[in-house]
Amino acid sequence: MIDTSRTFRMNSFLLHVLIALLMLLQVGCGSEPTPPSGSAPDVSANGPTRPIDSGGPVLSFQTQSHDFGDVLDFGSHDVEFPFVNAGTETLQVFEVRPTCGCTTTKLQKKIFAPGEGDTLRLTYSPKSSGRQVKKVMIRSNDPVNPLQSVEISADVTPVIKINPPSFSFGSIDIGDGAIGQISLEAAHPGYTATSVRLGGRLAPHATAALREVQSDEGSPRQWVIDVVIEKDVPWGIQNGSIGLTGALDQEDGTRSRHSRSIQVNGTVSGKLQTSEPTFRLLLLEPDKPFSKRITIKHADGEAFNLFSATVLEARSGNLQVQVLPVADSGGSEYQLLLTGDTTGFTGAIVGKVNVRTDVPGEEEIDIRISGVVMPPEG
């Protein structure tokens, strides 16, 4: 007999996963698809319009799109979206959710009698350049259009060009370190780069220094960020971010602070190689056991001793790891089996597996753990 309750629960979980993935795609601050020139704003999420005094609660916006036009990629820009409850019953706004970290919202109240209205205030702080289109989703008890959206757009001009916008060292041999450069060019005549600061896991093992370079007369000012990864950088994926701070002198005589973040990463390895760089658990169903395997082997096929593997810094309970020698590998290959249980836990799973071996220079390595437990139904 088919277990219909289990099938329904699994389908519901898959629906949650799909919604979460769609939201993750929207949350990034990069450009969203730009509608063709002259086309009408996309308000398909709002469904068909209804006349005033429709039955039930009706969330009715005066307008649902705003174009800021040409703006620089600093500071903030405000817009208001007036709305009214055009229905005959009480309207309740459950949630106002920006789809980008560069947009914040403010709504004074959440419950509105028939005929009562308010203003949804949005503040946009551009982080990317080019044509930008951002949406804010509004969920209410409007029975016909429970999920609506308002949209803002802008053509964003950067005041500083960063090349590359994010920097990867790629593979780094353990014990070697690495050196890289990031080029900066003022895209606005009033811009000056003033300082850089390195943060993240790379910070204890790397440095970042800013210096201005000579440019041709009449050319924009230029700088270079020299990034040095020290030889003591540990095994595994290492990432960090460079905070770039600058100042912008504007035509009205005011000076504004400008900041940008540049992501930096690299993968450090030696004789020990893994089938995956981290224990990526992705999205996990609540109240269920789970497992994940990673193979670790010697690059030259030589036998080595794997003395222990221990879960450290775990934020969720019941994480355990086992070491399983691979048959017929001659001691050159092992499997690490990570197991756990999501019972009574939701949210992010993080931690690391600390592995101890007798491989010179790689006597102790850490493999990161990451995943998310979805909330239970209801």
Side-chain angles (χ1 to χ4, degrees):
M1 180 179 295
I2 297 174
D3 186 349
T4 56
S5 63
R6 185 177 184 274
T7 302
F8 174 78
R9 179 175 176 80
M10 180 58 69
N11 289 339
S12 298
F13 172 70
L14 292 175
L15 178 60
H16 274 84
V17 170
L18 178 60
I19 293 172
L21 290 174
L22 289 173
M23 291 305 298
L24 285 173
L25 289 173
Q26 289 179 310
V27 165
C29 286
S31 299
E32 296 182 15
T34 303
S37 177
S39 64
D42 177 13
V43 292
S44 57
N46 302 303
T49 58
R50 287 174 289 169
I52 301 297
D53 296 331
S54 295
V58 178
L59 175 58
S60 178
F61 281 93
Q62 181 177 318
T63 181
Q64 291 180 260
S65 64
H66 177 80
D67 193 336
F68 288 107
D70 295 325
V71 300
L72 296 175
D73 66 338
F74 80 100
S76 60
H77 307 272
D78 300 322
V79 64
E80 296 183 347
F81 289 97
F83 66 89
V84 67
N85 177 8
T88 58
E89 297 180 14
T90 300
L91 171 71
Q92 183 173 359
V93 177
F94 299 124
E95 183 181 26
V96 178
R97 182 193 295 271
T99 57
C100 174
C102 54
T103 306
T104 59
T105 63
K106 184 177 182 181
L107 183 61
Q108 295 286 355
K109 54 184 293 186
K110 297 293 182 69
I111 298 178
F112 305 91
E116 185 181 10
D118 201 349
T119 298
L120 175 61
R121 295 171 175 83
L122 271 62
T123 299
Y124 172 53
S125 302
K127 304 297 183 185
S128 302
S129 60
R131 181 65 176 172
Q132 301 293 309
V133 180
K134 309 296 177 184
K135 288 185 178 181
V136 173
M137 311 305 294
I138 303 98
R139 188 168 62 89
S140 73
N141 67 337
D142 184 325
V144 176
N145 300 319
L147 183 64
Q148 300 195 39
S149 68
V150 295
E151 181 180 277
I152 57 174
S153 55
D155 291 298
V156 183
T157 300
V159 299
I160 180 70
K161 295 179 181 178
I162 304 172
N163 184 31
S166 61
F167 190 87
S168 176
F169 283 94
S171 297
I172 304 171
D173 290 334
I174 194 165
D176 283 358
I179 298 174
Q181 287 187 341
I182 300 171
S183 300
L184 310 175
E185 181 180 283
H188 188 286
Y191 178 83
T192 300
T194 57
S195 65
V196 293
R197 185 174 184 271
L198 181 62
R201 292 196 190 111
L202 265 178
H205 311 284
T207 59
L210 176 70
R211 58 185 173 89
E212 187 168 6
V213 297
Q214 187 68 35
S215 56
D216 296 334
E217 185 176 354
S219 298
R221 295 177 68 183
Q222 298 178 1
W223 298 263
V224 166
I225 302 175
D226 294 305
V227 185
V228 178
I229 295 183
E230 305 295 344
K231 294 182 178 181
D232 67 347
V233 63
W235 187 97
I237 292 180
Q238 304 297 330
N239 50 51
S241 63
I242 298 174
L244 168 64
T245 301
L248 183 65
D249 294 320
Q250 302 183 68
E251 294 179 357
D252 60 3
T254 60
R255 167 168 278 207
S256 302
R257 184 176 182 272
H258 183 275
S259 61
R260 278 292 170 268
S261 180
I262 307 169
Q263 300 302 310
V264 181
N265 65 74
T267 301
V268 183
S269 62
K271 295 299 183 181
L272 293 180
Q273 298 180 347
T274 55
S275 56
E276 296 184 46
T278 62
F279 283 98
R280 289 179 290 189
L281 304 176
L282 301 179
L283 296 172
L284 298 172
E285 189 175 0
D287 302 322
K288 296 285 185 181
F290 64 87
S291 64
K292 176 72 176 180
R293 291 175 185 261
I294 283 183
T295 300
I296 181 170
K297 64 181 181 180
H298 197 287
D300 297 333
E302 297 180 4
F304 68 98
N305 290 312
L306 199 161
F307 298 121
S308 65
T310 309
V311 175
L312 300 176
E313 301 177 8
R315 292 185 188 173
S316 59
N318 303 322
L319 284 179
Q320 298 181 12
V321 63
Q322 293 177 270
V323 178
L324 307 174
V326 175
D328 301 325
S329 70
S332 66
E333 189 172 336
Y334 299 82
Q335 282 193 343
L336 301 176
L337 175 61
L338 180 71
T339 59
D341 194 307
T342 62
T343 300
F345 180 84
T346 59
I349 292 181
V350 296
K352 64 182 181 181
V353 173
N354 178 262
V355 178
R356 295 178 181 270
T357 76
D358 63 354
V359 177
E362 299 171 81
E363 291 87 356
E364 186 173 346
I365 65 173
D366 292 328
I367 305 175
R368 294 282 168 182
I369 304 168
S370 63
V372 176
V373 182
M374 298 294 292
E377 293 285 336

